[in-house]
Amino acid sequence: MKIDILSEVPEEFEYHITKDEKADTLYYWYTPRMEVDSLIFKITSIDYEKDYTARISIQERDSLII
């Protein structure tokens, strides 16, 4: 399976995808923080292709400092 972002992103855009082992969930972590309300992705596999829109919710930054 391949996940490509179709939304316009800045040149310094970086991302990481993690899978929740207890659920059927993928987490898409990215930087820098962008002022958008959604991101558009194209998901492709051998016999599958579909565009998805992920809505972005406003989350407070974690105060944990390591």
Side-chain angles (χ1 to χ4, degrees):
M1 180 178 289
K2 185 176 177 185
I3 302 172
D4 294 312
I5 189 160
L6 299 179
S7 297
E8 192 172 314
V9 294
E11 203 171 291
E12 66 273 10
F13 184 82
E14 295 180 9
Y15 71 94
H16 181 74
I17 300 171
T18 58
K19 182 182 183 314
D20 184 339
E21 296 296 329
K22 298 178 183 177
D24 188 19
T25 303
L26 294 175
Y27 293 101
Y28 190 90
W29 307 93
Y30 64 91
T31 188
R33 181 178 275 192
M34 299 182 301
E35 298 296 324
V36 296
D37 62 354
S38 63
L39 294 173
I40 303 169
F41 298 93
K42 179 181 287 277
I43 311 297
T44 55
S45 188
I46 294 170
D47 59 348
Y48 181 84
E49 182 175 307
K50 187 171 180 181
D51 293 350
Y52 285 92
T53 301
R55 302 284 176 215
I56 308 298
S57 61
I58 302 298
Q59 301 288 324
E60 290 188 32
R61 288 194 172 256
D62 194 338
S63 61
L64 178 63
I65 299 173
I66 298 177

